[in-house]
Amino acid sequence: MSNLVDPILRWYDAHARDLPWRRPTASAWSVLVSEFMLQQTPVSRVLPVHEAWLDRWPAPADLAAEASGEAVRAWGRLGYPRRALRLHAAAVAIVTDHGGVVPDSYDALRGLPGVGDYTAAAVAAFAYRQRQVVLDTNVRRVLGRAVAGVEFPARSVTKAERGVAEALLPADPPTAATWSVAVMELGALVCTADRPKCPFCPVVETCAWQAAGRPAYDGPPRPLQTYAGTDRQCRGRLLAVLRDAPGSVTKDRLDAAWDLAEQRDRCLVSLLDGLVVAVGDRYALP
DNA sequence: GATTCGTGGTT
DNA sequence: TAACCAAGAAT
């Protein structure tokens, strides 16, 4: 793993996408919003929602002043709408506990609702140019291939992985921050999960997976991700009705969104934990 | 540590 | 076409 860093930094300099949250003028809030939206959602779908979000709520205090339901509505169809609730809660916490300024320490960031290890490290690195180990699915895949020689990393982050990432991280904080985003970008654009573009990879000559003949993944199969007919889909349908309605709706409107009454009612109840509120005999976003 | 939390593009 | 996957977090 001796010299992955320089070639990847050079590659990034030449090939990085121009994303709004990466521009020098982007605020830490813009970075934080992008990280919430990018949790399990592709960049192309995040772009328009992120832009509208920052136009409407340029600072944490602007969002914190709104009802949480407005965040859920503006979230649109990005998926996992509880992220919208958590982002709203994070904005409130930033105003309450941090003077309205997105905190710059890993620990303070990690304490915000919806901010786990990845997001805390990413915001500290990308918004504040700190030296942080940023381990997302892209970085894990790139290092897994380039260093460990495996097609896909383990289910959860191992100590060995973290050790490799720490060892590679440049000592100089701004360079480390650029390195972190550069490895992620390489994973997103070249060292992709399927059909990786190895001929265009800046480290193809030192890649352990390449040297081993690109052996196929032989670990435990990942659980199947079904969606059609699940409670998750049902909840999505119910929430879509509420997002698209200006105010509250009758239960009839929700009933029309899903055929199976038993499943529909179960899902509605599960949404009442914060994503939906009952208003008399009607339902609305919070 | 395994499960659960949406949605749509791609192949 | 059905399967896979996309800058994770909370429980």
Side-chain angles (χ1 to χ4, degrees), chain A residues 51-74:
Chain A
E51 181 178 9
W53 196 281
L54 268 293
D55 283 348
R56 182 170 176 184
W57 299 305
D62 301 314
L63 177 60
E66 292 264 18
S68 61
E70 286 307 299
V72 175
R73 197 187 304 278

Side-chain angles (χ1 to χ4, degrees), chain A residues 17 30 79 147 163 188 261:
Chain A
R17 290 170 291 181
S30 174
V147 179

Side-chain angles (χ1 to χ4, degrees), chain A residues 34-46:
Chain A
S34 78
E35 293 302 341
F36 267 80
M37 292 182 173
L38 288 164
Q39 292 166 1
Q40 301 287 279
T41 302
V43 168
S44 61
R45 290 174 50 208
V46 165

Side-chain angles (χ1 to χ4, degrees), chain A residues 5 9-10 17 19 22 35 59 62 93 99 120 126 131 146 153 167 201 214 223 242 263 275 282:
Chain A
V5 175
L9 284 173
R10 280 195 295 274
R17 290 170 291 181
L19 301 175
R22 280 187 192 159
E35 293 302 341
D62 301 314
F126 304 152
R131 184 178 185 275
C201 180
R214 296 172 57 168
L242 295 170
Q263 184 180 26
L275 242 17
R282 301 171 68 90

